[in-house]
């Protein structure tokens, strides 16, 4: 168990695949290929090999006495100008677990997976490789995706030996694995652990998401000649709804149940200084771990939008962009994770994950848990992303203890 070697691997990867602006390991690009080639070289030093499934996910298998398998997941791809830890921490921790069992045959088989294109930074479809493995990928929905240069996803995949129409074969491959557990280590990407001054957290699950576009339609009019009581101002209705959604999030947040509502885009027409807005379209992203709470939040938002439309004499329409149900993690693995964290840090705070992760795609198929590392200033997806090294080492040690406990079948600490 060598957390220091995991950190050295992370630093070497960052040095090879970053510019002064941050990590540049965008999936299906040359720097990402270099990162994967380097990882293959590291795996080879342990006498192991890397194989790819039909979706381009890379797997390393260390056979155990049983074919029951503990899967350790992460992703080497990054966003442009990204951080040195996001995704890579999980893969390097997996490499550390393989190193920990190197030269001996573990009780259970260990599989480390580097999921392909978790970020979706180039083509806009996150969790691409893991969704193919889980069977949830809708191939036709991604067939026409283009990057900003006009390159088709299907062509970028082909350059890496991946055929879009065969990607779901990765699901059959995953089904052949007798998965005992899926474990993933990731940075929090938020400020909660920092606010508690805790190095490591136990993740309860990933939020469910309700994402919609809300379109308010009134009447464009001259801003100088139209009295305010006679206006049909679509922007004011949208603004009123956005403020209401903030209140909805505050109302449904509890000490043990954090939720979020975000209005992230606003489009106003005609968009000129001298016109009352006749049309305003806003996005709404709502997230919660409890499905009933998420449903109530959505219902409250619909009520708020209808009320704002009436009060401003406009109409309102909703368009669903995307939704995913909450993905709570396995209770027994959560307890094992908490034990490992307490052994190293003395405390094991529990928190949900607002961002989605590959782990969410695994929940329907096997027991899953994640562990979070403290994110300095709550920052991620930028060159400033960091975890203080003492905290990072503690988190890695806790994660390796979790792996060891699950692989060896060690009893609970209190047993």
């Amino acid at each position: 168990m060598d957390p220091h070697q995991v950190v050295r691997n992370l630093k070497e990867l960052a040095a090879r695949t970053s510019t002064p602006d941050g990590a540049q390991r965008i999936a299906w690009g040359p720097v990402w290929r270099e990162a994967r080639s380097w990882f293959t070289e590291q795996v080879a030093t342990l006498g192991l090999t890397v194989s790819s499934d039909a979706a381009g996910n890379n797997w390393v298998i260390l056979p155990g006495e049983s074919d029951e398998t503990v899967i350790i997941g992460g992703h080497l791809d990054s966003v442009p100008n990204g951080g040195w830890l996001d995704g890579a921490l999980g893969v390097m921790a997996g490499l550390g677990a393989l190193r920990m069992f190197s030269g001996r045959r573990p009780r259970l088989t260990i599989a480390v997976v580097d999921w392909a294109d978790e970020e979706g930074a180039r083509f806009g479809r996150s969790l691409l490789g893991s969704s193919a493995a889980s069977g949830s990928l809708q191939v036709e929905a991604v067939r026409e995706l283009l990057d900003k240069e006009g390159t088709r996803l299907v062509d970028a995949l082909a350059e890496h030996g991946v055929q879009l129409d065969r990607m779901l074969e990765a699901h059959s491959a995953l089904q052949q694995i007798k998965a005992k557990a899926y474990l993933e280590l990731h940075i929090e990407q938020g400020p909660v652990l920092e606010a508690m001054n805790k190095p490591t957290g136990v993740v309860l699950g990933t939020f469910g998401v309700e994402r919609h576009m809300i379109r308010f339609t009134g009447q464009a009019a001259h801003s100088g000649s139209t009295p305010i009581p006679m206006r049909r101002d679509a922007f004011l209705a949208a603004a009123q709804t956005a403020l209401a959604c903030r209140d909805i999030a505050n109302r449904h947040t509890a000490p043990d149940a954090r939720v979020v509502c975000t209005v992230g885009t606003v489009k106003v027409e005609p968009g000129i200084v001298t016109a009352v807005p006749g049309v305003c379209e806003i996005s709404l992203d709502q997230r919660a771990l409890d499905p009933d709470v998420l449903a109530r939040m959505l219902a409250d938002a619909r009520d708020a939008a209808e009320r704002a439309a009436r009060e401003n004499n406009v109409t309102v329409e909703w368009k669903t962009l995307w939704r995913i149900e909450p993905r709570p993690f396995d209770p027994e693995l959560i307890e094992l994770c908490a034990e490992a964290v307490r052994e190293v840090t003395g405390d094991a705070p529990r928190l949900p994950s607002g961002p989605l992760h590959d782990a969410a795609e695994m929940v329907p198929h096997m027991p899953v848990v994640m562990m979070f590392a403290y994110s300095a200033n709550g920052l991620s997806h930028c060159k400033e992303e960091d975890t203080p090294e003492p905290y990072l080492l503690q988190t890695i040690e806790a994660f390796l203890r979790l792996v060891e406990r699950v692989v060896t079948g060690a009893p609970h600490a209190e047993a």
Side-chain angles (χ1 to χ4, degrees):
M1 191 179 295
D2 189 354
H4 291 273
Q5 180 59 47
V6 175
V7 174
R8 285 193 292 270
N9 286 150
L10 283 162
K11 290 180 176 179
E12 183 177 353
L13 176 65
R16 286 172 171 264
T17 60
S18 302
T19 69
D21 294 321
Q24 306 299 333
R25 301 184 301 273
I26 296 87
W28 318 113
V31 181
W32 180 65
R33 284 197 301 269
E34 180 183 345
R36 288 188 136 193
S37 177
W38 172 84
F39 178 68
T40 298
E41 293 171 3
Q42 304 308 305
V43 168
T45 66
L46 303 177
L48 300 172
T49 58
V50 175
S51 62
S52 296
D53 64 20
N57 303 309
N58 278 353
W59 293 82
V60 185
I61 307 296
L62 177 61
E65 295 172 358
S66 167
D67 59 358
E68 283 193 307
T69 302
V70 176
I71 303 174
I72 303 168
H75 59 95
L76 289 179
D77 69 295
S78 74
V79 298
N81 302 328
W84 72 296
L85 295 171
D86 181 3
L89 176 58
V91 180
M92 294 305 105
L95 180 61
L98 294 173
R99 188 179 297 113
M100 182 170 65
F101 284 96
S102 181
R104 56 193 174 113
R105 195 172 181 87
R107 186 179 71 90
L108 301 181
T109 294
I110 300 173
V112 174
V113 57
D114 165 28
W115 298 111
D117 203 355
E118 190 271 356
E119 297 288 4
R122 183 176 173 188
F123 294 97
R125 203 321 180 167
S126 302
L127 311 183
L128 186 68
S130 58
S131 66
S134 74
S136 70
L137 177 66
Q138 296 180 349
V139 171
E140 293 307 315
V142 302
R143 188 177 298 280
E144 303 303 324
L145 291 180
L146 305 174
D147 67 10
K148 62 182 180 181
E149 276 79 38
T151 301
R152 299 191 307 161
L153 171 64
V154 65
D155 294 330
L157 293 173
E159 290 177 6
H160 292 77
V162 177
Q163 299 178 38
L164 177 61
D165 288 317
R166 297 186 59 189
M167 285 185 72
L168 288 175
E169 292 178 15
H171 180 51
S172 299
L174 182 67
Q175 289 179 311
Q176 298 304 310
I177 297 175
K178 294 183 179 179
K180 178 75 171 179
Y182 176 89
L183 314 176
E184 186 171 334
L185 175 60
H186 206 280
I187 55 169
E188 181 198 346
Q189 301 181 283
V192 177
L193 289 174
E194 183 183 56
M196 293 188 289
N197 195 26
K198 301 296 183 182
T200 314
V202 179
V203 187
L204 298 170
T206 58
F207 277 166
V209 180
E210 287 282 357
R211 189 174 298 164
H212 301 264
M213 293 298 294
I214 312 173
R215 184 179 179 89
F216 296 90
T217 303
Q219 177 61 58
H222 196 288
S223 64
S225 60
T226 310
I228 287 179
M230 300 177 70
R231 294 182 179 188
R232 299 178 60 207
D233 191 325
F235 171 74
L236 289 181
Q240 185 175 325
T241 301
L243 290 172
C245 287
R246 180 187 63 182
D247 295 338
I248 289 167
N250 289 332
R251 186 164 65 250
H252 286 283
T253 291
D256 59 345
R258 181 170 55 91
V259 305
V260 290
C261 296
T262 305
V263 173
T265 67
V266 181
K267 181 182 178 183
V268 175
E269 299 175 13
I272 58 176
V273 173
T274 55
V276 175
V279 175
C280 186
E281 192 172 70
I282 62 174
S283 64
L284 176 61
D285 183 293
Q286 297 179 295
R287 305 187 186 212
L289 189 60
D290 186 314
D292 294 333
V293 170
L294 185 60
R296 290 197 297 273
M297 287 166 56
L298 177 59
D300 287 353
R302 289 186 180 276
D303 289 345
E306 292 289 347
R307 183 168 58 253
R310 287 194 305 272
E311 292 176 359
N312 290 279
N313 195 26
V314 303
T315 62
V316 61
E317 298 174 279
W318 286 68
K319 177 183 177 182
T320 301
L321 297 179
W322 182 65
R323 56 166 49 105
I324 185 173
E325 68 274 16
R327 297 286 170 88
F329 293 156
D330 181 75
E332 183 176 350
L333 285 179
I334 288 173
E335 293 305 319
L336 288 173
C337 187
E339 289 175 10
V341 172
R342 277 195 299 269
E343 287 173 9
V344 178
T345 72
D347 192 15
R350 304 181 186 207
L351 66 162
S353 175
L356 288 170
H357 298 280
D358 295 305
E361 290 288 353
M362 297 299 105
V363 168
H365 307 287
M366 63 193 72
V368 173
V369 77
M370 290 185 70
M371 187 182 292
F372 272 167
Y374 171 117
S375 287
N377 298 312
L379 295 175
S380 181
H381 282 191
C382 59
K383 65 181 179 180
E384 293 83 8
E385 173 185 287
D386 200 15
T387 301
E389 189 158 321
Y391 280 6
L392 186 59
L393 289 167
Q394 284 183 292
T395 303
I396 293 168
E397 180 180 347
F399 185 76
L400 293 177
R401 288 191 183 208
L402 171 64
V403 173
E404 185 175 48
R405 179 161 285 143
V406 175
V407 170
T408 63
H412 289 251
E414 66 268 18

